[in-house]
Amino acid sequence: MKPVIEVSNLFVYYNNKPALKDITMSIRPNAITALIGPSGCGKSTFLRVFNRMNDFISGCRMEGKVIVDGSNLSNNDIDVETLRKNVGMVFQKPNPFPKSIFDNVAYGLKVQGFTDKKFIEERVETSLRQAYLWNEVGDNLNGSALSLSGGQQQRLCIARTIAVQPKIILMDEPTSALDPIATAKIEELIISLKEQYSIVIVTHNMQQASRISDYTSFFYMGDLIEFNTTENIFKNPQEKSTENYITGRFG
Amino acid sequence: MIKGNNFKEKIFPPFALFCTFLGVILLLIFLVNILIDGLSRIDADFITSLPSRKAEKAGILTAWTGSLWIMIMTALISIPIGVCAGIYMEEYSKKSKLNTLIEINIANLAGVPSIIYGLLGLEVFGRLLGLGNTILAGSFTLSLLILPIIIVATRESIKAVPKSIKDASYALGATKWETITNHVLPYSVGGILTGVILSISRAIGETAPLIAIGALAYVPFIAQSPFDEFTVLPIQIFNWTTRPQHAFLVNAAAAIIVLLLITFILNGIAVYLRNKWKMNLRY
């Protein structure tokens, strides 16, 4: 199958210091790709390349080719707003807007110019159902998003992301701020989402990577050390440092 | 020695308490004094009478309507400019030497003595723009005076909006404009309003810059448009206190009560907004 993201010879610099060095890999559609590695290895930077969120970091610069939807993201003249409508993102800490549950999910649609009330209501409901949140909040859509628990807030953020039906969803350690029960719910949700979406997830939790992902890439000091199916990475790593990391010898 | 620092430990809290109450006590003494002198002078006639050479006939109608004019015009001029400048500096400007220089100078401007603004206003608005000693000239001058305060308040409030919220908006494909109008401004409006009201309440107490641009002490009519001459409460008060007759001092005390009342009300609204905003928003 044709990859949804093709990265070749990507370099990312922070103030001329390389944070990612010569990365080449492709992301498969309708699969979960996990990015693992110790803190500071560049995995979050890599994730934020795909929706150009690195633009907000001053001194950050990228070179090389990152093809999403036929356009090269290192071109400065691409329309980042359109890109971000196709490449959604879920953050590390749940970050709902201090607005109602309904307004949170509807915001992306509003930004995209949808005005039909009926359509927005339907889309909000489907998104909340897909995020396994409807049963908990369906009768309280006007309640404040901030009154939800951490796990519910994160599922709300996922509902908000899928409401605009992106092709790709980026997740930056989406469960690191949550307790085990909430984490299990989110993991179940992520797996159910891959039918419709291609998912790239950064995680510090190797069990999580092995539980939910189809492909895993291991980053270390800005280099992509190894990229393979999750099964191969965990059962049969080719590189010594991969093996050391996944067996918990460092990181 | 175990009891080594006990003396300092015992003496400091009462001293700190004394320092805390010093300001409050002085304010209280002042208030009581003014109330005793002026309260009996305040009645409907005092509020609705034009100024007069006879102390018992004189009122503050032109003064408080002038203050109201100045307050509204200054707000209309300074709020849009100050808020836009604050948004620009916080959300749009890139880090550069020029921008840093501008930022430092805006902070410095807040400390410039108000008489200097008055002289600037006299030259630029009064003479160059030919506005003379009108309400508009006074409002422009006071706007200059409070712009730095509004800009700083706007920036602080915008800064308090967490980056994670803005990230969420951008990640959904929102533009900067959409992010600012849908999130940044609605969440920081309480803080901005607080700053605006406090600065307006400072503006209506200002005397020196308005005297510098030539506001009159004696205006026997109510201003009808921004191009009319005017007086304001502080100038009226200043003028009355310079008269030798005791009756005018009583008038001054009464006018001070009115002016203080207005400032206290404005500050009260500011405190209310700040608390309300804090309760509604926890990220």
Side-chain angles (χ1 to χ4, degrees):
Chain A
M1 261 201 282
K2 203 174 174 294
V4 285
I5 303 178
E6 275 186 277
V7 182
S8 37
N9 309 107
L10 170 74
F11 287 81
V12 176
Y13 302 91
Y14 289 124
N15 300 319
N16 295 323
K17 264 176 59 186
L20 286 171
K21 291 170 262 180
D22 203 10
I23 310 290
T24 298
M25 73 184 270
S26 30
I27 307 280
R28 310 286 201 288
N30 297 92
I32 299 172
T33 305
L35 312 178
I36 62 168
S39 300
C41 69
K43 55 193 190 306
S44 284
T45 304
F46 188 53
L47 190 75
R48 293 163 68 95
V49 162
F50 302 141
N51 64 347
R52 288 271 298 260
M53 284 302 270
N54 287 330
D55 290 10
F56 296 108
I57 299 167
S58 67
C60 185
R61 181 166 63 81
M62 65 190 263
E63 280 169 14
K65 248 168 127 181
V66 180
I67 308 287
V68 176
D69 245 358
S71 25
N72 186 359
L73 300 195
S74 49
N75 274 352
N76 275 327
D77 51 357
I78 67 149
D79 183 35
V80 281
E81 279 82 32
T82 310
L83 168 72
R84 290 181 190 138
K85 283 163 191 170
N86 285 322
V87 185
M89 187 168 212
V90 177
F91 295 83
Q92 185 170 1
K93 224 182 104 210
N95 56 353
F97 302 125
K99 295 177 185 267
S100 74
I101 293 167
F102 183 89
D103 286 346
N104 263 278
V105 186
Y107 179 66
L109 298 168
K110 196 179 147 195
V111 163
Q112 296 211 6
F114 291 104
T115 47
D116 182 26
K117 241 180 120 189
K118 192 102 207 279
F119 171 81
I120 293 178
E121 276 168 16
E122 279 170 17
R123 190 63 85 71
V124 167
E125 179 173 342
T126 7
S127 310
L128 285 170
R129 281 190 194 283
Q130 281 185 323
Y132 301 151
L133 198 57
W134 181 258
N135 290 340
E136 292 157 60
V137 303
D139 53 357
N140 185 29
L141 292 180
N142 291 320
S144 166
L146 298 178
S147 63
L148 301 175
S149 73
Q152 287 174 324
Q153 287 188 5
Q154 194 62 304
R155 276 180 283 149
L156 180 67
C157 292
I158 294 176
R160 181 174 68 185
T161 305
I162 58 185
V164 296
Q165 302 193 330
K167 296 191 177 73
I168 302 162
I169 301 177
L170 311 173
M171 298 189 168
D172 192 356
E173 299 185 47
T175 61
S176 65
L178 304 178
D179 65 65
I181 294 169
T183 299
K185 275 190 189 162
I186 301 254
E187 287 184 3
E188 194 189 337
L189 166 59
I190 294 172
I191 293 170
S192 78
L193 288 178
K194 76 173 173 182
E195 270 179 41
Q196 254 183 292
Y197 306 97
S198 312
I199 296 165
V200 186
I201 180 170
V202 165
T203 177
H204 253 115
N205 181 332
M206 272 163 295
Q207 283 76 27
Q208 181 168 72
S210 68
R211 274 195 302 264
I212 66 173
S213 71
D214 305 298
Y215 300 92
T216 297
S217 54
F218 172 62
F219 285 79
Y220 185 58
M221 308 263 286
D223 290 306
L224 173 60
I225 306 291
E226 201 171 345
F227 175 46
N228 211 327
T229 60
T230 300
E231 205 182 344
N232 274 327
I233 289 275
F234 281 90
K235 291 208 175 118
N236 188 22
Q238 302 297 304
E239 301 287 331
K240 192 74 195 149
S241 58
T242 313
E243 191 185 342
N244 285 344
Y245 182 71
I246 59 171
T247 51
R249 250 166 260 169
F250 77 98
Chain B
M1 291 286 280
I2 288 172
K3 61 175 184 177
N5 273 329
N6 268 2
F7 179 70
K8 284 177 191 162
E9 197 56 52
K10 268 184 191 148
I11 211 74
F12 183 69
F15 177 72
L17 189 70
F18 169 74
C19 293
T20 312
F21 276 98
L22 193 63
V24 181
I25 289 167
L26 285 175
L27 180 67
L28 266 182
I29 294 172
F30 169 73
L31 274 181
V32 169
N33 225 333
I34 288 291
L35 284 173
I36 291 172
D37 282 350
L39 198 56
S40 57
R41 181 69 183 82
I42 297 182
D43 52 23
D45 277 348
F46 184 66
I47 306 290
T48 55
S49 291
L50 295 170
S52 161
R53 230 163 299 174
K54 295 192 184 101
E56 58 278 11
K57 275 192 169 177
I60 54 168
L61 183 63
T62 49
W64 75 259
T65 49
S67 279
L68 196 68
W69 264 111
I70 286 283
M71 192 171 105
I72 292 168
M73 293 305 295
T74 306
L76 287 179
I77 295 165
S78 61
I79 294 173
I81 299 177
V83 171
C84 286
I87 293 174
Y88 174 78
M89 289 166 75
E90 217 41 60
E91 294 288 330
Y92 285 94
S93 80
K94 300 240 162 34
K95 254 200 153 45
S96 73
K97 276 188 183 144
L98 179 70
N99 279 323
T100 316
L101 194 76
I102 292 175
E103 283 177 26
I104 293 172
N105 277 298
I106 284 184
N108 281 340
L109 278 178
V112 172
S114 55
I115 184 74
I116 312 271
Y117 283 104
L119 294 172
L120 178 74
L122 171 68
E123 192 55 42
V124 175
F125 305 123
R127 292 187 182 147
L128 277 178
L129 293 183
L131 293 171
N133 53 355
T134 60
I135 290 175
L136 206 54
S139 304
F140 275 126
T141 306
L142 288 182
S143 295
L144 281 186
L145 182 79
I146 64 172
L147 262 177
I149 312 175
I150 296 182
I151 293 173
V152 171
T154 304
R155 293 189 60 190
E156 293 301 320
S157 315
I158 288 179
K159 227 183 260 174
V161 176
K163 195 176 155 296
S164 63
I165 302 266
K166 292 190 245 174
D167 278 351
S169 174
Y170 289 128
L172 286 163
T175 59
K176 199 155 218 172
W177 172 249
E178 286 163 337
T179 303
I180 290 172
T181 50
N182 284 304
H183 300 288
V184 174
L185 279 184
Y187 308 153
S188 56
V189 72
I192 295 174
L193 269 181
T194 307
V196 164
I197 293 170
L198 288 178
S199 63
I200 297 282
S201 108
R202 179 179 166 196
I204 68 158
E206 279 295 341
T207 324
L210 295 180
I211 291 180
I213 67 155
L216 305 172
Y218 180 77
V219 181
F221 56 85
I222 303 174
Q224 300 295 325
S225 87
F227 295 99
D228 282 344
E229 294 176 341
F230 69 102
T231 189
V232 289
L233 275 168
I235 294 179
Q236 182 69 75
I237 292 165
F238 174 70
N239 176 265
W240 276 336
T241 53
T242 56
R243 305 285 188 92
Q245 300 95 323
H246 178 72
F248 279 113
L249 290 182
V250 174
N251 281 359
I256 286 173
I257 295 173
V258 174
L259 181 60
L260 281 178
L261 203 67
I262 298 174
T263 354
F264 284 166
I265 289 173
L266 284 177
N267 288 359
I269 296 173
V271 171
Y272 169 76
L273 283 174
R274 187 163 45 203
N275 289 341
K276 194 181 151 200
W277 174 61
K278 259 188 196 155
M279 280 196 318
N280 283 349
L281 275 189
R282 47 178 186 90
Y283 303 105

